[in-house]
Amino acid sequence: MQNIHGKNIYTDFDAAKYPSDPSGWGSDSPAFAKVFAEFNPRFVIEVGTWKGGSALTMANLLDGKPGATILCIDTWLGAIEFWEDQNDPARFKSLNCLHGFPQVYYTFLANVCHANAQEIIVPFPLHSASAALWLMRQGIQADAIYIDASHEEDDVYQDLLDYSQVVKKGSILFGDDWLWLGVQNAVKRFAGEQKLPITHIDDKWVIRS
Ligand SMILES: C[S@@+](CC[C@H](N)C(=O)[O-])C[C@H]1O[C@@H](n2cnc3c(N)ncnc32)[C@H](O)[C@@H]1O
């Protein structure tokens, strides 16, 4: 928190103005518990957080571990599919634009406060590529990285290339939406090039680095 923001960003935030709404996609999957039981991470990076549903599932699993941290990287501006149907209640409408600019970050922040997870969850509101570069320059590496940002093949592939450099050796990259063709192609391309096996838990893919 100090490294990125220079202060505690939850101080003075009025979460009561926002109802709890951690809705997402595959956010409370039992796959998280299975992955955490096997790899026992303490410092997790999430790339693609939205309202915090999956981050809160992981925060629950880390609760009580000393130094447990989830660094949530997201622009909070939505992925391309969030801007393709202005009537989609789960995507465009949930961006909650004010004068054309998304406010969903505050819904996320309030969800973290309602769940009392401020000690564990640190938001980093930056594009995934820039955030990866920041982490590399700081020499920071995670025990596990969950990738669920853009679902376009080249974007996912780039996230895999970038975040494979900020995960500790022997740790894992995992992510959502194996059935999404862009995701599947990117994961297969990356894993094939790196000669790493892909395993699956439900709709999640897992690569041990
Ligand atoms: C599918 S949602 C994440 C859902 C969340 N993991 C959950 O389970 O509730 C994708 C999120 O990724 C973010 N996103 C998409 N591309 C991004 C990028 N290149 N860098 C940072 N955030 C990105 C969007 O703003 C959006 O909030």
Side-chain angles (χ1 to χ4, degrees):
M1 181 70 85
Q2 277 299 324
N3 279 2
I4 293 172
H5 298 285
K7 62 178 184 177
N8 184 340
I9 49 96
Y10 295 106
T11 306
D12 298 334
F13 174 65
D14 187 2
K17 283 189 3 200
Y18 306 85
S20 177
D21 170 23
S23 53
W25 300 268
S27 317
D28 55 0
S29 162
F32 289 106
K34 290 182 192 160
V35 166
F36 277 42
E38 186 176 345
F39 293 94
N40 194 24
R42 187 186 301 231
F43 172 37
V44 179
I45 294 175
E46 177 175 74
V47 188
T49 291
W50 187 232
K51 296 180 185 177
S54 45
L56 290 171
T57 298
M58 293 190 278
N60 266 332
L61 294 167
L62 292 183
D63 201 18
K65 278 193 189 178
T69 304
I70 301 175
L71 180 63
C72 290
I73 293 163
D74 199 309
T75 57
W76 280 281
L77 299 177
I80 188 167
E81 67 271 15
F82 287 60
W83 291 85
E84 288 176 329
D85 176 3
Q86 279 60 35
N87 294 312
D88 184 340
R91 293 183 175 83
F92 182 79
K93 283 185 187 294
S94 287
L95 283 167
N96 190 22
C97 288
L98 180 66
H99 306 294
F101 199 82
Q103 307 295 300
V104 66
Y105 173 75
Y106 300 107
T107 304
F108 153 75
L109 216 55
N111 287 335
V112 175
C113 295
H114 292 313
N116 267 323
Q118 301 97 311
E119 289 293 314
I120 298 181
I121 292 183
V122 178
F124 195 3
L126 205 58
H127 187 277
S128 53
S130 305
L133 192 57
W134 186 93
L135 289 159
M136 286 179 224
R137 286 185 181 172
Q138 300 275 326
I140 295 173
Q141 294 203 311
D143 301 320
I145 300 188
Y146 181 62
I147 297 181
D148 186 20
S150 168
H151 292 45
E152 300 301 304
E153 179 175 340
D154 288 345
D155 296 343
V156 180
Y157 178 72
Q158 192 59 49
D159 282 343
L160 284 161
L161 285 180
D162 290 343
Y163 285 90
S164 61
Q165 295 176 69
V166 289
V167 72
K168 290 176 190 161
K169 269 269 161 285
S171 304
I172 56 152
L173 297 161
F174 69 120
D176 200 24
D177 295 311
W178 177 253
L179 297 179
W180 201 301
L181 204 58
V183 173
Q184 190 172 133
N185 288 342
V187 174
K188 282 180 175 168
R189 176 157 43 131
F190 172 80
E193 286 169 1
Q194 306 288 325
K195 301 195 175 15
L196 296 168
I198 307 166
T199 54
H200 302 277
I201 306 175
D202 305 329
D203 193 18
K204 313 265 184 240
W205 51 267
V206 180
I207 296 176
R208 190 191 284 259
S209 74

